[in-house]
Amino acid sequence: MKNFKVFLNFGGASFIPAERWEQEDGWYKFYREDSVIAEFAAMSVEKIEERSFPPESNGAGK
């Protein structure tokens, strides 16, 4: 699992935990287990940074 930081060109950013993203038909779509979990209009996205989640052994999310 990765964490994607989506920077929006009108200000702000969103963090999306997903396995992958694709650009399709003017949209950035974020997927987890082949299901779309988030989408942004391509014209509103400034950039996307990809980050790995920290190791699960640190107790995060428990």
Side-chain angles (χ1 to χ4, degrees):
M1 182 74 67
K2 297 175 182 171
N3 196 18
F4 297 96
K5 187 174 183 181
V6 182
F7 292 87
L8 305 171
N9 61 17
F10 50 83
S14 291
F15 289 91
I16 309 295
E19 295 170 345
R20 62 186 170 86
W21 65 269
E22 297 176 358
Q23 187 174 3
E24 302 176 14
D25 301 323
W27 293 88
Y28 287 102
K29 297 183 179 187
F30 294 82
Y31 293 87
R32 195 179 314 148
E33 297 180 9
D34 293 326
S35 296
V36 175
I37 58 165
E39 53 190 355
F40 296 88
M43 60 188 248
S44 67
V45 175
E46 184 175 312
K47 67 179 179 176
I48 299 172
E49 290 182 356
E50 181 179 320
R51 302 174 180 180
S52 295
F53 271 118
E56 292 183 22
S57 61
N58 70 3
K62 292 184 181 180

